[in-house]
Amino acid sequence: MAICTVYTTKLNPACSSFSTPSKTHLGFHQKQVVFYKKSSSRSTRGTSPYFITCSAGDSQTIVIGLAADSGCGKSTFMRRLTSVFGGAAEPPKGGNPDSNTLISDTTTVICLDDYHSLDRTGRKEKGVTALDPRANNFDLMYEQVKALKDGVAVEKPIYNHVTGLLDPPELIKPPKILVIEGLHPMFDSRVRDLLDFSIYLDISNEVKFAWKIQRDMAERGHSLESIKASIEARKPDFDAYIDTQKQYADTVIEVLPTQLIPDDNEGKVLRVKLIMKEGVEYFSPVYLFDEGSTISWIPCGRKLTCSYPGIKFTYGPDAYFSHEVSVLEMDGQFDRLDELIYVESHLSNISTKFYGEVTQQMLKHADFPGSNNGTGLFQTIVGLKIRDLFEQIIASKAKTPVEATKA
Amino acid sequence: VRPVYAAPDKISDKVEESIKNAEAACGENPASGECVAAWDEVEELSAAASHARDKKKDSDPLEAYCKDHPETDECRTYED
């Protein structure tokens, strides 16, 4: 296999150390591509990228998309997901301290804010939010995600959340699993078609408000009014550009206020729905007791003691945006571990490698938000389903090597 | 030339400032793009501030010390 060297001096003089070809920790050879820009990052729209490609690699990158609004627990989900694959996810070593990327042995998580075409000042001048497609460069997003999927390293820009500026790019090597997380992973149809699996975190307005109060009330300058005003101001763009993506997701995790406590608006006890699309290749939905039946289950009783307000599971087939789906719902929260292992033993198709793996994963991160309710449980299960999907795709590609190198 | 990065404490100042700006921008016209963009900036900075807080909270003082001084008595660990 050929190896080539690409010098990236035009983009960023500080990057020359990246240009040495090397074998990565994944064990396959890397290729690199450079996206030349015409001066500033704002002019990239419409200009075609200049590809430097070498021979086809034996890399097999699968791409996962995770969509959610800011402050909705994307980073917690990412930490649970990378933990399923083993090894801690860390920012790239020695690079920009404000990089949004997380890298572990198998997984690289990139934040789609890095594809903002307008920086903070630019958005203010034009009067658009980060949710607006006009503030994002979907051409570059498509080109770079496609390149990574084809096993080609890219120079990805960095959007600095502290300064609100676009920083010099960083080198991203093709990982085994690429996760793109942010506001618009399923917005552009070309990017959407690259995804092997997609997830949407759907937080209801009541819960979003409660979570943001928890997050921001301690912060100087914030008040109930400012939190409310910020949510309301962003809502039109959120409804128009972000919320519409959930129809394309293979799995939606919906977080709602509990129905176990009448008129609860604290947002501490949650009702969480795991909506899983039927007929997705390499993905078979989780079920409770009997696949395809409609079941309501309260695990509390003689075998399990629960404190108020208890736990209630619901499972059944449903329709979601005219797709056939299976829905698993959990209302309430766990007090102790034995409840979780009891629940795990009654779920089927959770893609665990050994009995108790879900419980073990949850225990490992008992300090993460959501570890005592359905958000943590379903995020962990989705993590295991992604591992299963990854293993199936790799196995099927190994069987038909001709098709795998079609790029 | 490396850009200058703000420390987490500075984010708090920025959040406070951005809220004031947003309230001012919305005084004139609450439905304007200017107002909406200003509140979006508040959200972005609040999220950045909370991420910075989480990062700080995670750090155990002994762990941080042992990263720099792995050979000291309180930090030495043996696999077997």
Side-chain angles (χ1 to χ4, degrees), chain A residues 311-365:
Chain A
I311 300 174
K312 184 182 176 187
F313 277 87
T314 319
Y315 164 77
D318 205 348
Y320 188 77
F321 289 96
S322 64
H323 282 290
E324 203 187 320
V325 294
S326 283
V327 181
L328 179 65
E329 181 187 300
M330 178 188 153
D331 197 349
Q333 57 190 31
F334 309 112
D335 297 320
R336 292 198 314 262
L337 162 73
D338 41 357
E339 293 180 2
L340 186 49
I341 190 81
Y342 185 72
V343 167
E344 182 181 347
S345 63
H346 289 86
L347 292 169
S348 301
N349 247 351
I350 41 178
S351 303
T352 47
K353 298 224 157 144
F354 53 87
Y355 176 70
E357 193 177 13
V358 171
T359 308
Q360 193 211 50
Q361 278 295 332
M362 294 275 286
L363 263 180
K364 228 178 176 177
H365 307 295

Side-chain angles (χ1 to χ4, degrees), chain A residues 386-398:
Chain A
I386 290 173
R387 184 182 66 188
D388 190 37
L389 177 113
F390 167 72
E391 285 169 357
Q392 285 184 60
I393 291 178
I394 295 303
S396 80
K397 276 189 181 169

Side-chain angles (χ1 to χ4, degrees), chain A residues 70 75 96-98 120 123-124 127-130 159-160 162 212 215-216 219-222 226 229-230 233-234, chain B residues 2 4-6 12-16 19 33 36-37 39-51 53 58:
Chain A
S70 92
S75 36
N96 187 331
D98 290 328
R120 196 176 285 157
R123 292 198 298 273
K124 265 187 147 177
V128 295
T129 65
Y159 177 74
N160 187 320
V162 180
K212 290 207 172 160
R215 186 193 72 181
D216 291 336
E219 195 64 53
R220 247 182 309 134
H222 260 301
S226 68
S230 176
R234 295 170 81 251
Chain B
R2 289 177 66 83
V4 182
Y5 302 107
S12 292
D13 295 338
K14 279 193 168 183
V15 173
E16 199 174 10
I19 292 170
V36 172
W39 279 119
D40 189 42
E41 185 189 311
V42 173
E43 170 57 32
E44 194 175 284
L45 285 167
S46 305
S50 116
H51 286 148
R53 270 201 308 274
D58 284 346

